[in-house]
Amino acid sequence: MPLPYVGLELARDRLNPAELQAATVMAKLYDPDAAVKAGYLDEATDNDVLDVALETAARLAFLDQHAFGETKIRLRQSTIDRIKGH
């Protein structure tokens, strides 16, 4: 089964270009540390996942939410447009 367009576009947006072919065409599987390097994950941790999530949420809570949201949309708009085009 071919990878759906949305999966391809999300991979194109997030993954290290050197990993794109292996990850999508060759269906390469990654351990957590390799997934970070490839771009699938922002971070991997050996710590309690809930603790890490709460620390991240606390850090994000101090950001201006409007600016955060607008910047995130602007950063990803071309990917959104490509997905909508399919």
Side-chain angles (χ1 to χ4, degrees), residues 4 15-16 61 80:
L15 297 182
N16 175 339
I80 294 167

Side-chain angles (χ1 to χ4, degrees), residues 5-71:
Y5 283 110
V6 68
L8 288 171
E9 293 303 337
L10 291 174
R12 191 184 325 273
D13 182 63
R14 287 287 310 219
L15 297 182
N16 175 339
E19 292 292 327
L20 188 58
Q21 172 101 3
T24 56
V25 177
M26 305 303 290
K28 180 178 177 181
L29 299 178
Y30 296 86
D31 64 43
D33 290 330
V36 171
K37 290 177 185 169
Y40 273 114
L41 302 174
D42 291 327
E43 66 180 292
T45 183
D46 291 326
N47 297 327
D48 181 69
V49 175
L50 182 57
D51 288 342
V52 174
L54 291 172
E55 289 170 10
T56 301
R59 222 175 31 250
L60 292 174
F62 286 102
L63 298 176
D64 178 294
Q65 295 302 297
H66 177 73
F68 176 82
E70 284 297 312
T71 301

